[in-house]
Amino acid sequence: MPDNIEVMISEEQVNARICELGRQITEEYKGKNLHLVCVLRGAVFFMCELAKRIELPVTFDFMSVSSYGSGTVSSGIVRIIKDLEEPLTDKDVIIVEDIIDSGRTLSFLYELFNTRGAASVRTCTLLDKPSRRDPEISLEVDYRGFEVEDKFVVGWGMDYDQRYRNLPFIGVIKGSESGN
Ligand code: IMP
Ligand code: MG
């Protein structure tokens, strides 16, 4: 393990929580047309583990967006890097995200998908940093793994400069403050 990183949430804790989320989604999506949309790249590990705990037929798609830094632009402009491959018509979509910070990314996708004919759209995130939310953003989080304090976290798909995504636990860079 890199010595600048300490464990915030262990692999066992993350797995246990994902099992609970999977059970909850399984209960709530019986008879529906469940379609998971993974927000690349950070949410890949979470989505794979979550999907394995959902005991229902499920389809996937992937989307990549980039959010302009909150430091320079506060308008919340999000740019699509890679769009979905299939239409959302009549699908019960759950957007799967690694972590919600300002909330701009997820709020943008939620609004967008609601204009694309989905039967329903809900949001699911492994981590949520509510203290960082942009006050302009109102966002309903339907499924949340853990609430975390304002620290920069890595692992389980989340990176710092593209590194550490493969750590099997959620770690925090020692002495870090969040800031994207
Ligand atoms: P938001 O649009 O401000 O909510 O930004 C969410 C995105 O910022 C997430 O999908 C992550 O890619 C990234 N992000 C926010 N906080 C962290 C963190 O602590 N570690 C790694 N990535 C983060
Ligand atoms: Mg992300």
Side-chain angles (χ1 to χ4, degrees):
M1 161 152 113
D3 59 11
N4 59 331
I5 294 191
E6 59 196 35
V7 177
M8 180 190 255
I9 308 173
S10 72
E11 183 172 13
E12 292 71 24
Q13 285 173 293
V14 178
N15 280 323
R17 184 72 187 115
I18 292 177
C19 284
E20 290 175 0
L21 291 173
R23 273 199 295 274
Q24 193 184 344
I25 291 170
T26 302
E27 281 305 308
E28 295 177 9
Y29 281 79
K30 288 206 168 93
K32 299 205 171 194
N33 193 6
L34 178 56
H35 187 65
L36 301 180
V37 172
C38 174
V39 186
L40 293 171
R41 286 169 260 183
V44 167
F45 289 60
F46 175 43
M47 183 163 102
C48 293
E49 290 305 311
L50 180 66
K52 285 192 275 179
R53 307 295 160 219
I54 297 174
E55 296 177 25
L56 294 173
V58 55
T59 53
F60 302 144
D61 208 340
F62 298 85
M63 178 109 185
S64 179
V65 291
S66 98
S67 177
Y68 283 96
S70 50
T72 48
V73 182
S74 58
S75 59
I77 299 163
V78 179
R79 193 161 53 100
I80 297 174
I81 309 287
K82 179 213 169 296
D83 208 335
L84 300 174
E85 301 202 0
E86 286 169 41
L88 296 181
T89 319
D90 299 330
K91 296 191 168 102
D92 292 294
V93 176
I94 300 181
I95 310 171
V96 182
E97 182 52 306
D98 51 0
I99 182 164
I100 306 175
D101 188 82
S102 71
R104 288 186 204 113
T105 306
L106 205 49
S107 163
F108 168 83
L109 291 173
Y110 181 83
E111 302 293 333
L112 179 70
F113 293 171
N114 271 300
T115 68
R116 290 189 176 181
S120 64
V121 183
R122 284 188 178 173
T123 58
C124 176
T125 187
L126 180 58
L127 302 181
D128 187 7
K129 282 191 219 175
S131 64
R132 295 268 305 167
R133 199 75 88 251
D134 180 338
E136 309 263 289
I137 299 282
S138 77
L139 175 69
E140 188 91 27
V141 183
D142 298 295
Y143 304 99
R144 177 190 286 108
F146 302 90
E147 266 191 29
V148 292
E149 54 180 320
D150 184 12
K151 297 260 176 75
F152 200 85
V153 295
V154 293
W156 267 85
M158 291 170 285
D159 73 303
Y160 175 69
D161 259 349
Q162 299 306 326
R163 293 183 64 203
Y164 308 121
R165 289 191 195 273
N166 62 325
L167 294 177
F169 54 86
I170 293 172
V172 57
I173 300 187
K174 286 180 191 165
S176 76
E177 286 302 314
S178 180
N180 271 331

